[in-house]
Amino acid sequence: MAEQRYLKPGRIEVRLLHNTVGWLTRHGVSVAGSRELAVRGRKSGEWRRNPVNPLTVGSERFLVAPRGHTQWVRNLRAAGDGQLRVGKRIEQFTAVEVPDAEKPALLRAYLSRWKWEVGAFFDGVGPDSSDGELLRIAPDHPVFRITEHN
């Protein structure tokens, strides 16, 4: 199996960006549509939280992992469900990973919306890139289709 890409955030980024966005989101302030993802740890069973940018395409919603095969990705694969939070609003969801062949349109939509924030993690590929370029990087960026529980 090929090594899976994961770009680990630096300490300063975690402290300034993740912690700040996470704190704001927990207190009801969504930054550009951000949510706090909560997923049970695959080993500990404890809730693990990370800020994410949910993507809506048509009537479907997705989570895209710009940094690659992160811990939250591994936990979500194992758990199959989680929560998206903003303030006191908690949305329960189930997740199904999207095959690479379906990712180009989703990655294009994601980059159209958040390239300013996450573009550095996509190796120069952007919303105007060809389907072939987006398909080439698709294995490096897991995408999950999420469905809200009623």
Side-chain angles (χ1 to χ4, degrees):
M1 177 184 222
E3 184 174 328
Q4 294 181 326
R5 179 180 180 179
Y6 170 41
L7 300 174
K8 187 174 181 177
R11 289 172 52 191
I12 292 173
E13 181 180 355
V14 169
R15 285 187 181 165
L16 292 179
L17 183 61
H18 290 191
N19 290 349
T20 301
V21 170
W23 186 89
L24 287 168
T25 304
R26 278 190 300 281
H27 289 84
V29 179
S30 174
V31 179
S34 67
R35 296 288 185 270
E36 184 179 58
L37 170 66
V39 178
R40 295 262 183 201
R42 62 194 180 283
K43 295 177 184 174
S44 70
E46 295 179 19
W47 287 105
R48 303 295 182 197
R49 294 175 173 81
N50 292 88
V52 294
N53 295 318
L55 172 68
T56 300
V57 176
S59 62
E60 295 185 303
R61 295 179 66 207
F62 302 89
L63 292 178
V64 177
R67 291 182 169 277
H69 299 267
T70 62
Q71 296 301 320
W72 73 256
V73 166
R74 294 173 183 147
N75 289 337
L76 190 54
R77 281 178 180 142
D81 62 4
Q83 300 174 344
L84 290 175
R85 301 172 177 205
V86 62
K88 294 181 187 239
R89 182 173 184 265
I90 298 174
E91 175 188 343
Q92 305 279 346
F93 69 86
T94 56
V96 176
E97 195 159 0
V98 174
D100 290 343
E102 296 178 28
K103 290 181 188 176
L106 300 172
L107 293 174
R108 178 174 282 111
Y110 186 79
L111 287 165
S112 291
R113 176 98 194 258
W114 286 291
K115 183 179 180 189
W116 60 272
E117 181 183 348
V118 299
F121 309 127
F122 286 85
D123 292 333
V125 174
D128 299 326
S129 296
S130 70
D131 283 351
E133 290 173 297
L134 290 161
L135 191 56
R136 177 182 58 80
I137 65 162
D140 293 333
H141 302 283
V143 177
F144 295 87
R145 180 175 285 107
I146 60 173
T147 306
E148 186 175 2
H149 294 183
N150 292 339

